[in-house]
Amino acid sequence: MIPIETIGQVAEHYDIAVVGAGPAGLAAAARAAELGLSVLLADENPAPGGQIYRAITTTPVTPRAVLGEDYWKGGALVDRLRPTNAAYAPGCTVWSVAPDEAGGFELGLSLGGQARLIAAGQVILATGAQERPFPIPGWTLPGVMTAGAAQIALKASGLVPSGRTVIAGCGPLLYLLAGQLAAAGANIVAVLDTTPRRNWLAAIAAFPDFLRSPYLAKGLKLMAAARGKLPFKTGVTALAAQGAGKVTGVTVTRGGATETIPCDALLLHQGVIPGINLANAAGCAQHFDTVQHCWTPTVDEWFASSIPGIAIAGDGAGIGGAESAALRGEIAALDAARRLGRLSEAERNEKAAPTQAELARSLRGRRFLDLLYRPAPQFLAPPADETIVCRCEEVTAGQIRDTARRLGVTGPNQMKAFLRCGMGPCQGRLCGPTVVELIAQERGVSAEETGYYRLRPPVKPVTLAELAALPPTDAAVKAVVR
Amino acid sequence: MFRPMHEAKPAEALGFTFDGRALTARAGDTVAAALLANGIQACRQTPVSGADRGPYCMMGVCFDCLVVIDGVGNRQGCLVPLREGMRIETQAGRRHPDGAQS
């Protein structure tokens, strides 16, 4: 592993560029480098691991039981990359991926306040997942954070919430986080479970498969540990964060009764969805996954996207968890090596076979979890008009519903033109799913038919100085000089 | 709002300022984590309503931890490692043509 510290150390060309150093990106980069290919692994975080193995090489949390044994498995992925010749660039943002004239791709990078354009023959996007937006009244108040944010503060900095802490939402990660924070000494005054009871009806058909899954033992352990020690409240049907300037409490409705629980921190979580911005901006086709209930880039069995030469590995192409992400990275790297002529099709197939078998095993039971922990409709499309949906431009659910109805807006791109939702710095990451949900509901059509934002590079802000300092290509000069 | 857990590995302390206040945090923290560890919940005001906001996702997605670092605005505090002597300031809401901020 060759560490890259300045933008000048990045080479002009790599066989493969991997974006994101979570499990999928680490495995893809290691596999490609082991095959003798030149690899750039670019990651915007300061250290490898992605979110699930965040700070795996630097965490100050020493008691292993706090983060659990699954976390420490991440170390092996970094150890595998170390002896290779892959270039690893931490703190490096990839803000654009576009086809170049040589049949490969041009990548726009920023590192340490300087930008560069480099070339790569193949691109593997391993940009991972983000937490599904959880729009409730007051979710923009300081002191309201995602559960994942608290987990990152714990893993990377050894920080725990210092006051009365409420955790709310649904999904296996909610129980994991509750357990981790409790083990780290946080004062958890309530765990508010929003899992709709009727989800069991939809999920039960997938239960036999789940019984044979690697999730089962893990899941039961998490549940038992969290439920035994923590003040759980199930059947929550409405939530609102209270406070002026910062959160001071959360109003909870369950069984028709409403109460307010005073708190200093409110941690929200209702599952994770693929982070699709870079794939979408690169022009990769996507579809609405009705089981996982989210927009997902469309990939084949080798994780190749609709654009030949761009693969999407890991949770960025559908949620499967850390173990499956690493396996998917491995498979995508083998196919990229085949496209580059390093492996024949037969060699690729032979090398991939054991990994594909392991992948199938690791994904068994996933469907049950997806169906059981699908968020309730009122937490996907907030019924209270005053709920902010677009955090950047402060556009409310009421405005979106009203505009959809009165102006007959058919999709999120048109909505963006009218209301500016999705136009702020987060580029729709925190409002896109909700805007789609609200328009679909208002029009009585599916999310698939409603569509998603058409995103464009740069997918992260780049300063004018960075852009101006880029060397102009002949094509760029011809485009403006007459 | 956050405190170090008791068993955390000790690390070197770095000095920095937030809106002129001298503070310290752990080497290895991001700017956003350093602010949370010092009890600072709000680090920007929105350009639309001027409402206070603080770190929300800590992973580069939400842009609610935007701050001014050493004079450069709109930096994502959760992605920037803290350095000794950093001058961190609240990212004020809307800019006006005359240079004043609201």
Side-chain angles (χ1 to χ4, degrees), chain A residues 10 22 88-89 108 189 232 336 373:
Chain A
V10 181
Y88 164 60
V189 295
F232 259 79
Y373 293 118

Side-chain angles (χ1 to χ4, degrees), chain A residues 44-45 54 60 62 129 139-140 142 144-146 149 157-162 185 246 391 394 425-426 430 460-461, chain B residues 1-5 7-9 26 29 33 41 46 48-49 52-53 55-61 63-64 76 79:
Chain A
E44 67 179 347
N45 292 294
R54 166 70 79 147
T62 43
W139 71 311
T140 53
V144 182
M145 299 173 85
T146 70
S157 303
L159 294 172
V160 288
S162 51
K246 65 171 186 172
R391 299 171 61 99
E394 301 183 87
C426 98
L430 269 288
K460 281 285 178 102
Chain B
M1 140 182 218
F2 277 79
R3 61 166 177 80
M5 65 180 284
E7 303 92 339
K9 207 187 293 176
R26 194 185 159 278
D29 280 358
Q41 283 186 314
T46 64
V48 179
S49 72
D52 281 339
R53 290 282 175 86
Y56 177 74
C57 80
M58 294 295 275
M59 55 179 277
V61 171
F63 290 75
D64 261 328
Q76 286 185 276
L79 293 178

Side-chain angles (χ1 to χ4, degrees), chain A residues 109-134:
Chain A
L109 314 177
S110 277
L111 201 172
Q114 286 183 292
R116 272 279 296 281
L117 296 172
I118 63 135
Q122 298 278 310
V123 177
I124 298 177
L125 303 180
T127 48
Q130 63 164 74
E131 282 172 282
R132 189 193 294 277
F134 203 147

